[in-house]
Amino acid sequence: MPDIFPGETVEVTGSWTTNPKYGEQFAVSGFTRREPTGTEAIAKFLSSGVLRGVGPGIAKAIVTKFGERSFDVIEQTPEKLAEISGITDARAREISAEMKRTAGLRRLSQFLSDYGIEPIVASRLYKVLGSSAESDVRANPYIIVSPDYGGKFREADLMAKALGFPRDAIERIEAAVVHELRYNLTNGHVFIPSETLVRATLKFLEGDDSPDYDTVADAFVELSEMGLVERDTVNGVDVCYLPEYHEAETYSVAKLTALLDEETTLADDEIDAMLTKIEQSENVKYADGQKLAVFTAAKHRVMALTGGPGTGKTTSVRAILALYDAMGLDTLLCAPTGRAAKRMSELTGRQGAMTVHRALGASPAANDELVFERCEENPLKCGAVVLDEASMLDLPLLHALLSALPDDARLLLVGDENQLPSVGPGNVLADITKSGIVPVVTLTEIFRQAAGSAIVRAAHSVNRGEEPNLAERGSDLFFLKRTGAEQIAQTVTELITARLPNNMGIPSGEIQVLTPTRQGVAGTRALNTRLQAALNPPDAKKLELVRSQYTLRAGDRVMQIRNNYDLTWTDANGDDGAGVYNGDLGVIRAIDFASDTLTVDFEDKLAQYPFGQLDDLEPAYAMTVHKSQGSEYRAVVLVLPPGLGRLAVRSVLYTAITRARELLVIVGDPATLTAMVANNERLRRYSGLRYRLRDS
């Protein structure tokens, strides 16, 4: 219930509940706000700061002069306010305008709340549409589904039905088409084939009076004319995009093609001489694949370097960085996540690696959209960009990076395309490597030192579709057979709390539990509750905060689950900064109920969260394999419970194995492991990058 001020009356509906810790509570399901009545209530309301420029003194003067007519005077005849000492004509008009804005927003908020729509949607609508917002929504309730406003289709549908809209209304069909496109972004799809989109929309709208095929197909034409959908042909198929994703894809192809068209003028003997000097300075003899990587980087402005663990990617990157130094290029190191960027600095021995978002100067705009300080008009100040963990790169971020890349710069994408694809839409690394246009060097030789690791051998076995030799008792890989979910969870708890710290000398804080799923006894939700109880139990000296799904307690390990570019932090040197990113791990250091803040230590960066932003955090004793992308941990306990369904795929297992640096303990059902190795199915992602590059 936002913007409730003194003097108002609020009528709430809901039910009484009993909380085991706090006792009887009232769970509100809806509310109605009523304007203040009576001079005392009106005075309290106007004194509360609800109107800019009206403090307690002015409020008292207004109510003293106009009594219960105060609201009408402010809104309808503001010139009368100027009769009060201290209020000029200009200030009277400003107060009236502020009152109309506030009243309009409050009426809109109340109107939408009757249909279960959150007040933030009303704020966004009023900011864009002003006083016409309510009439515009009544004319077409489906406008609230726009990302500019953030309403849900179900909410708009309920409101439209109550307002008398037919189920086959064109407004409903068009909103459903756009909804399907936006919804499928979460499945990684950049576009949807038109035929598939028609049928998906029909299924979404099925029911009484649902539209027919031709009516939905005809809606595409109007949506295209309105600029809400982009029609195109990809690989001979008629497809539909959201306009911004069509722009991202076509721009990325154009920029990559331009980079490919400009080869270096370096001769082979020049590159040979540079490589010899690099080998001498680095005191290393490069393998043939690594030499090829350096030659390719010298010859081309854009390339991809791929390979599994132990194949020498890091050594190759260090060689290419030395090459860029010799060429006089200032190189920017970046990665999609903060942990991946930090690891990049550690492995290359070069400080300054940062997230792509930070390098581009990302900041939030309306409705959580991002704007980037670095762009075509204000490009990056560098001669080369090396981007690690490129499998995590989605299409919008590729577009942003290429937009900011200077025309004469170089781009090196480093990654392992056998890992899980990006969370966001697109299949960037795989599309680029399979296009046949972008130079790609794939390292396959496993070096002797890495070959001694059972973790590395297991990863490559899984990648080939072979079950790893788990009977081989290596020093860094163990398999504990447990077939029941409860048995698995109990074993994991024992490993974290006692067996690994006591027998292997690895502290609990350096062990990460990974599981493919959030659900069930062996999923992240249940495991986090169990591990929290074992590793950081309740204590009278530790403050805690009860959330809907979990409790946050001082000393808990937590993870940031979305990018927050505004959250400020202070480092160990006392320097301030801003930005905490999806996947960052930290420890809760303090909970302050006086200031309603919670402090998290992200590896010597203290960030203070207002209680209203705690949805950005969740416990991280256990996390999903997807959330671990781009990170590496000293020790990993991998949970493989039965019944994983669509998550029982090879790429999930491969990604999990490659997160472990020194020790991997797999706890679970052998049948699950067998099924994951055998299942190399990758959920298809509709993306045109590969085909557009091929045809460019």
Side-chain angles (χ1 to χ4, degrees):
M1 292 182 286
D3 301 329
I4 300 294
F5 290 93
E8 290 186 285
T9 299
V10 179
E11 179 182 296
V12 296
T13 57
S15 58
W16 288 102
T17 62
T18 301
N19 182 285
K21 184 168 185 178
Y22 297 106
E24 195 172 39
Q25 295 182 321
F26 190 73
V28 178
S29 59
F31 74 98
T32 301
R33 177 170 35 207
R34 308 195 187 285
E35 282 192 346
T37 56
T39 56
E40 183 179 351
I42 293 172
K44 283 183 179 179
F45 179 78
L46 293 177
S47 300
S48 66
V50 64
L51 301 180
R52 286 195 298 264
V54 177
I58 293 295
K60 182 178 180 181
I62 291 173
V63 175
T64 298
K65 185 171 182 62
F66 301 111
E68 294 194 12
R69 296 188 298 115
S70 295
F71 290 152
D72 289 337
V73 170
I74 294 173
E75 283 197 65
Q76 307 301 329
T77 56
E79 64 276 5
K80 292 185 178 181
L81 292 176
E83 299 172 7
I84 296 174
S85 176
I87 301 181
T88 63
D89 289 339
R91 191 175 182 191
R93 289 192 296 270
E94 290 172 359
I95 293 172
S96 180
E98 181 70 8
M99 184 67 176
K100 289 177 180 177
R101 186 197 68 81
T102 301
L105 175 57
R106 293 159 76 81
R107 283 193 292 267
L108 176 64
S109 178
Q110 186 63 61
F111 164 65
L112 294 180
S113 73
D114 291 341
Y115 302 100
I117 300 170
E118 294 183 359
I120 185 63
V121 177
S123 297
R124 292 167 178 162
L125 283 162
Y126 202 87
K127 183 176 182 180
V128 175
L129 302 174
S131 59
S132 69
E134 183 174 341
S135 60
D136 289 347
V137 171
R138 288 182 180 275
N140 180 7
Y142 295 98
I143 65 173
I144 73 166
V145 182
S146 163
D148 292 334
Y149 309 131
K152 299 179 178 63
F153 187 92
R154 179 186 58 80
E155 296 169 339
D157 219 20
L158 290 172
M159 181 164 51
K161 185 176 181 180
L163 293 174
F165 279 74
R167 307 300 283 167
D168 60 352
I170 187 63
E171 295 90 348
R172 183 172 188 254
I173 297 169
E174 291 171 352
V177 171
V178 175
H179 168 83
E180 281 295 314
L181 284 170
R182 290 210 171 276
Y183 173 78
N184 277 286
L185 293 174
T186 62
N187 293 324
H189 300 308
V190 177
F191 65 77
I192 301 293
S194 298
E195 176 75 16
T196 303
L197 182 56
V198 172
R199 299 196 181 282
T201 304
L202 284 169
K203 183 173 180 59
F204 181 67
L205 294 177
E206 67 183 356
D208 295 339
D209 300 322
S210 59
D212 58 23
Y213 183 98
D214 291 338
T215 304
V216 174
D218 290 344
F220 289 9
V221 176
E222 187 170 343
L223 285 167
S224 181
E225 291 174 350
M226 295 167 62
L228 297 176
V229 167
E230 189 75 37
R231 304 279 299 271
D232 204 345
T233 301
V234 173
N235 200 31
V237 178
D238 184 66
V239 302
C240 290
Y241 290 81
L242 292 168
E244 60 268 34
Y245 289 89
H246 185 265
E247 163 66 16
E249 192 171 88
T250 53
Y251 179 93
S252 297
V253 170
K255 186 65 176 274
L256 288 170
T257 302
L259 291 170
L260 290 167
D261 287 343
E262 295 187 32
E263 289 194 5
T264 183
T265 56
L266 287 174
D268 287 357
D269 57 349
E270 291 180 276
I271 302 173
D272 271 327
M274 296 169 78
L275 184 56
T276 299
K277 288 184 178 180
I278 293 169
E279 284 185 321
Q280 292 171 349
S281 64
E282 296 286 322
N283 192 28
V284 65
K285 186 68 176 176
Y286 295 119
D288 290 343
Q290 294 171 323
K291 290 181 179 179
L292 177 60
V294 176
F295 259 83
T296 306
K299 287 283 189 182
H300 301 279
R301 290 197 183 279
V302 58
M303 68 167 287
L305 175 64
T306 69
T311 57
K313 285 202 305 292
T314 299
T315 301
S316 299
V317 169
R318 284 199 293 258
I320 293 172
L321 289 174
L323 168 75
Y324 287 162
D325 289 344
M327 295 172 67
L329 300 177
D330 183 18
T331 303
L332 169 68
L333 303 181
C334 60
T337 68
R339 292 184 66 83
K342 181 180 179 182
R343 181 166 166 253
M344 190 181 190
S345 283
E346 293 169 350
L347 293 176
T348 60
R350 299 195 179 206
Q351 298 304 309
M354 62 184 73
T355 65
V356 183
H357 290 88
R358 184 180 174 192
L360 298 179
S363 60
N367 197 31
D368 298 328
E369 295 292 326
L370 291 180
V371 293
F372 296 96
E373 179 185 352
R374 297 295 183 180
C375 55
E376 279 188 324
E377 294 74 25
N378 182 28
L380 293 163
K381 308 298 182 185
C382 62
V385 172
V386 178
L387 190 147
D388 199 10
E389 296 291 350
S391 63
M392 300 178 68
L393 190 66
D394 62 22
L395 179 64
L397 197 53
L398 174 69
H399 176 217
L401 176 61
L402 291 174
S403 298
L405 191 72
D407 291 337
D408 59 350
R410 293 167 182 263
L411 175 64
L412 169 62
L413 299 175
V414 184
D416 184 348
E417 60 186 302
N418 293 304
Q419 291 188 23
L420 289 166
S422 59
V423 175
N427 205 8
V428 169
L429 183 61
D431 278 352
I432 287 175
T433 57
K434 294 176 181 176
S435 67
I437 300 298
V438 177
V440 179
V441 175
T442 301
L443 302 175
T444 56
E445 179 184 351
I446 304 176
F447 289 91
R448 181 167 33 183
Q449 184 176 358
S453 165
I455 296 173
V456 171
R457 293 196 300 274
H460 285 276
S461 294
V462 169
N463 198 29
R464 292 191 301 266
E466 303 168 0
E467 287 197 43
N469 183 7
L470 299 175
E472 174 191 10
R473 285 286 181 174
S475 60
D476 61 353
L477 173 60
F478 301 92
F479 182 84
L480 303 180
K481 178 182 176 181
R482 304 289 188 273
T483 55
E486 177 59 36
Q487 189 183 24
I488 290 172
Q490 183 176 342
T491 300
V492 168
T493 305
E494 293 170 357
L495 286 167
I496 302 298
T497 57
R499 293 169 63 176
L500 295 183
N502 295 340
N503 299 333
M504 306 293 289
I506 302 177
S508 298
E510 297 182 21
I511 306 167
Q512 184 59 57
V513 176
L514 300 181
T515 175
T517 180
R518 296 178 67 88
Q519 309 300 324
V521 175
T524 56
R525 289 174 180 165
L527 283 174
N528 271 315
T529 299
R530 185 184 291 248
L531 291 171
Q532 181 192 47
L535 295 170
N536 190 31
D539 188 308
K541 298 179 181 179
K542 293 181 181 178
L543 292 177
E544 62 182 44
L545 190 65
V546 179
R547 308 292 290 166
S548 58
Q549 294 184 345
Y550 47 80
T551 296
L552 295 175
R553 183 176 298 131
D556 275 341
R557 186 194 307 183
V558 291
M559 176 173 56
Q560 176 78 12
I561 61 172
R562 60 179 63 86
N563 292 333
N564 186 329
Y565 306 94
D566 292 333
L567 191 68
T568 58
W569 46 258
T570 303
D571 66 17
N573 298 319
D575 296 326
D576 294 331
V580 182
Y581 301 99
N582 186 6
D584 284 355
L585 291 177
V587 176
I588 298 175
R589 295 301 184 202
I591 299 175
D592 188 343
F593 287 99
S595 62
D596 285 350
T597 58
L598 179 148
T599 302
V600 178
D601 184 352
F602 290 103
E603 298 180 350
D604 297 326
K605 291 181 180 179
L606 294 177
Q608 203 169 68
Y609 287 76
F611 283 177
Q613 294 184 20
L614 293 183
D615 286 344
D616 285 359
L617 292 173
E618 64 179 32
Y621 298 101
M623 70 173 69
T624 63
V625 176
H626 284 79
K627 281 291 185 183
S628 73
Q629 285 179 268
S631 299
E632 188 180 66
Y633 312 97
R634 181 181 177 186
V636 168
V637 174
L638 173 59
V639 176
L640 296 182
L644 286 179
R646 295 175 65 187
L647 292 171
V649 294
R650 187 185 302 171
S651 58
V652 171
L653 178 60
Y654 177 77
T655 300
I657 291 173
T658 55
R659 300 308 91 201
R661 184 171 69 248
E662 294 181 18
L663 177 67
L664 172 64
V665 181
I666 303 175
V667 183
D669 189 343
T672 299
L673 183 122
T674 299
M676 295 179 83
V677 172
N679 184 6
N680 197 30
E681 178 184 353
R682 289 178 176 260
L683 294 177
R684 181 176 183 180
R685 291 188 166 202
Y686 291 118
S687 167
L689 186 63
R690 171 184 177 183
Y691 304 106
R692 292 184 190 277
L693 283 169
R694 182 195 66 188
D695 298 337
S696 61

